[in-house]
Amino acid sequence: MFPLKADHSIRDRLYWNFFNMIPFLIGSIAIARDSLKWVAVYIGIALFFFLVIEFRFACTHCLYYIRSKGCVKCMMLSGVPKIFKARPGPHSSFEKAMTILGALPMFLFPVYWLVRDPLLLGAYGVSWVLFFLTARRYECVRCLNFECPMNRVPSDVKKEFENEDRLSGNFEFSGKGIRESCSYLCVSLRTKHEFKDFLYWNFVTLTILFSAGIAIGISSTGWLLAYIFIVFFHFDILEQRFFCTHCPYFVRGEKSLRCMMNWGWPRHFRPRPHPPGKFDLVITTMGFIVVLLFPLPWLLKMPFLLGAYCISILLFLLTIRRYECSRCIYFGCPFNRVPVDVRKEFEKRNEFEMGKRV
């Protein structure tokens, strides 16, 4: 469970607008092959939806909109002047219908051009799916826009926030998440993964491997099989032996792994409950480099697939760093971003619980 987000930082805005721009860029590329004039029309439709339709019928009910002064302060439209009056309370059926009907032309407009290129059409669909899945997993669970149909904040947390808000009078954005005490963050650390975590992260990973696999497979089936072997050898042997065996999720696992990247894979090696050494990190890093660089000779011949490959890797790294590394209990990982004080409190709680069991 994430703390409620009282305000959005510049990094939030950069991340989500970059994520949102990917499907628009793909759609624009498909249309631009035929006519730049239609690209201008597409941009106009998108701007009309975001700045008029969505602004008027959806955003005016949002708490971030209601409590912003002068300009909107949200993760997508930050800095845009509040041209419509705020409307606290739930959306009407008419407003919901207008938002959906306004969004359809924006989503469907480039399809006429995209169907001519299956790769672009696939990338367009996958990019939108990834955008909504990621927003639903990581933002909708801590968003103050309780009126949004996609909001996933638990009802008890909503009530607690609303009660505190009434008692405190006028709420001011602090720039930090609500309920971000050390103790609460300690509780919110992810001590185990669920199958849906595995599905999400493997879907993200497959978008990276798929673009590389297509580029290689078009030229040579033999090299594609070699690439598949390298990928499996790295993740199932090298990474599991030199990196995963030091991970608490591996140590706490059963006969098969139960982590967000490997679910159901057999444990080939015994756990090593201590931080990975330099040799372990070097071997793991070298394996990653080989997996990442192997398809480049083929990708360089296909600029679109190369771009999709690089953007997919960038999104993977940004997302995992923003949302998983900050709550992961693998403190020995060099990418772990859990604060030191939270680590210490978590370790003390673990020692206390272990003592009680003994």
Side-chain angles (χ1 to χ4, degrees), residues 186-187 191 252 345-358:
C186 184
V187 173
T191 56
R252 297 179 178 189
E345 182 175 342
F346 179 79
E347 289 166 350
K348 284 180 181 178
R349 289 189 181 189
N350 269 0
E351 290 173 3
F352 178 72
E353 289 175 4
M354 290 288 288
K356 285 178 68 178
R357 289 174 187 173
V358 173

Short mmCIF file of all heavy atoms in Angstrom, two decimals, residues 186-187 191 252 345-358:
data_model
loop_
_atom_site.label_atom_id
_atom_site.label_comp_id
_atom_site.label_asym_id
_atom_site.label_seq_id
_atom_site.Cartn_x
_atom_site.Cartn_y
_atom_site.Cartn_z
N CYS A 186 7.63 1.57 6.58
CA CYS A 186 8.15 0.25 6.94
C CYS A 186 7.09 -0.82 6.69
O CYS A 186 7.38 -1.88 6.15
CB CYS A 186 8.58 0.26 8.40
SG CYS A 186 9.34 -1.28 8.94
N VAL A 187 5.86 -0.52 7.08
CA VAL A 187 4.76 -1.45 6.85
C VAL A 187 4.50 -1.63 5.37
O VAL A 187 4.13 -2.71 4.90
CB VAL A 187 3.48 -0.96 7.57
CG1 VAL A 187 2.29 -1.83 7.21
CG2 VAL A 187 3.69 -0.95 9.08
N THR A 191 6.94 -7.25 1.23
CA THR A 191 7.60 -8.44 1.78
C THR A 191 7.38 -9.68 0.92
O THR A 191 8.09 -10.67 1.08
CB THR A 191 7.10 -8.72 3.21
OG1 THR A 191 5.66 -8.86 3.18
CG2 THR A 191 7.49 -7.58 4.15
N ARG A 252 13.28 -16.59 1.23
CA ARG A 252 12.00 -16.93 1.85
C ARG A 252 11.15 -17.82 0.97
O ARG A 252 10.09 -18.28 1.38
CB ARG A 252 11.21 -15.65 2.15
CG ARG A 252 11.88 -14.73 3.16
CD ARG A 252 11.05 -13.49 3.38
NE ARG A 252 11.64 -12.61 4.37
CZ ARG A 252 11.05 -11.56 4.89
NH1 ARG A 252 9.83 -11.24 4.49
NH2 ARG A 252 11.65 -10.80 5.77
N GLU A 345 14.48 0.11 10.85
CA GLU A 345 13.24 -0.22 11.58
C GLU A 345 12.69 -1.56 11.12
O GLU A 345 12.23 -2.36 11.94
CB GLU A 345 12.20 0.89 11.38
CG GLU A 345 10.92 0.62 12.17
CD GLU A 345 9.93 1.76 12.08
OE1 GLU A 345 10.33 2.88 11.73
OE2 GLU A 345 8.75 1.52 12.38
N PHE A 346 12.73 -1.80 9.81
CA PHE A 346 12.24 -3.07 9.27
C PHE A 346 13.05 -4.24 9.82
O PHE A 346 12.49 -5.28 10.20
CB PHE A 346 12.31 -3.04 7.75
CG PHE A 346 11.85 -4.32 7.09
CD1 PHE A 346 10.50 -4.60 6.95
CD2 PHE A 346 12.78 -5.24 6.62
CE1 PHE A 346 10.08 -5.78 6.35
CE2 PHE A 346 12.37 -6.42 6.02
CZ PHE A 346 11.02 -6.68 5.88
N GLU A 347 14.37 -4.08 9.85
CA GLU A 347 15.24 -5.15 10.36
C GLU A 347 15.00 -5.40 11.84
O GLU A 347 15.02 -6.54 12.30
CB GLU A 347 16.70 -4.80 10.08
CG GLU A 347 17.06 -4.90 8.60
CD GLU A 347 18.38 -4.24 8.25
OE1 GLU A 347 18.95 -3.54 9.13
OE2 GLU A 347 18.85 -4.43 7.11
N LYS A 348 14.78 -4.32 12.60
CA LYS A 348 14.49 -4.47 14.04
C LYS A 348 13.19 -5.24 14.23
O LYS A 348 13.08 -6.11 15.10
CB LYS A 348 14.38 -3.10 14.71
CG LYS A 348 15.73 -2.43 14.95
CD LYS A 348 15.52 -1.08 15.63
CE LYS A 348 16.85 -0.37 15.86
NZ LYS A 348 16.66 0.98 16.47
N ARG A 349 12.17 -4.92 13.43
CA ARG A 349 10.89 -5.61 13.55
C ARG A 349 11.05 -7.09 13.23
O ARG A 349 10.47 -7.95 13.87
CB ARG A 349 9.86 -4.99 12.60
CG ARG A 349 9.39 -3.62 13.02
CD ARG A 349 8.22 -3.17 12.17
NE ARG A 349 7.77 -1.84 12.53
CZ ARG A 349 6.67 -1.27 12.08
NH1 ARG A 349 5.91 -1.93 11.22
NH2 ARG A 349 6.32 -0.06 12.45
N ASN A 350 11.86 -7.37 12.20
CA ASN A 350 12.10 -8.77 11.83
C ASN A 350 12.79 -9.53 12.96
O ASN A 350 12.43 -10.66 13.28
CB ASN A 350 12.97 -8.84 10.56
CG ASN A 350 12.12 -8.89 9.32
OD1 ASN A 350 10.89 -8.86 9.39
ND2 ASN A 350 12.76 -8.95 8.17
N GLU A 351 13.80 -8.88 13.56
CA GLU A 351 14.53 -9.52 14.67
C GLU A 351 13.59 -9.75 15.85
O GLU A 351 13.63 -10.79 16.51
CB GLU A 351 15.71 -8.64 15.10
CG GLU A 351 16.83 -8.59 14.06
CD GLU A 351 17.91 -7.59 14.43
OE1 GLU A 351 17.80 -6.97 15.52
OE2 GLU A 351 18.84 -7.40 13.63
N PHE A 352 12.71 -8.78 16.11
CA PHE A 352 11.77 -8.89 17.21
C PHE A 352 10.79 -10.06 16.99
O PHE A 352 10.51 -10.86 17.88
CB PHE A 352 11.00 -7.58 17.39
CG PHE A 352 9.97 -7.62 18.49
CD1 PHE A 352 10.35 -7.62 19.81
CD2 PHE A 352 8.62 -7.67 18.17
CE1 PHE A 352 9.41 -7.64 20.83
CE2 PHE A 352 7.66 -7.70 19.17
CZ PHE A 352 8.07 -7.70 20.50
N GLU A 353 10.29 -10.14 15.76
CA GLU A 353 9.34 -11.22 15.41
C GLU A 353 10.01 -12.57 15.46
O GLU A 353 9.42 -13.56 15.92
CB GLU A 353 8.74 -10.97 14.02
CG GLU A 353 7.77 -9.80 14.00
CD GLU A 353 7.28 -9.49 12.59
OE1 GLU A 353 7.65 -10.24 11.67
OE2 GLU A 353 6.54 -8.50 12.44
N MET A 354 11.28 -12.64 15.01
CA MET A 354 12.03 -13.89 15.07
C MET A 354 12.24 -14.31 16.53
O MET A 354 12.14 -15.49 16.88
CB MET A 354 13.38 -13.73 14.37
CG MET A 354 13.29 -13.58 12.87
SD MET A 354 12.85 -15.10 12.02
CE MET A 354 14.38 -16.00 12.20
N GLY A 355 12.55 -13.31 17.41
CA GLY A 355 12.74 -13.60 18.83
C GLY A 355 11.48 -14.13 19.47
O GLY A 355 11.53 -15.03 20.31
N LYS A 356 10.32 -13.59 19.09
CA LYS A 356 9.05 -14.03 19.66
C LYS A 356 8.76 -15.48 19.25
O LYS A 356 8.24 -16.26 20.05
CB LYS A 356 7.92 -13.13 19.17
CG LYS A 356 7.88 -11.76 19.85
CD LYS A 356 6.79 -10.89 19.29
CE LYS A 356 5.43 -11.42 19.64
NZ LYS A 356 4.34 -10.55 19.14
N ARG A 357 9.12 -15.83 18.02
CA ARG A 357 8.86 -17.18 17.55
C ARG A 357 9.74 -18.20 18.29
O ARG A 357 9.32 -19.30 18.59
CB ARG A 357 9.15 -17.28 16.05
CG ARG A 357 8.12 -16.54 15.19
CD ARG A 357 8.53 -16.55 13.75
NE ARG A 357 7.65 -15.70 12.95
CZ ARG A 357 7.86 -15.42 11.68
NH1 ARG A 357 8.93 -15.89 11.05
NH2 ARG A 357 7.00 -14.64 11.02
N VAL A 358 11.00 -17.76 18.56
CA VAL A 358 11.91 -18.63 19.29
C VAL A 358 11.45 -18.79 20.74
O VAL A 358 11.41 -19.87 21.29
CB VAL A 358 13.35 -18.08 19.24
CG1 VAL A 358 14.26 -18.91 20.15
CG2 VAL A 358 13.89 -18.07 17.83
#
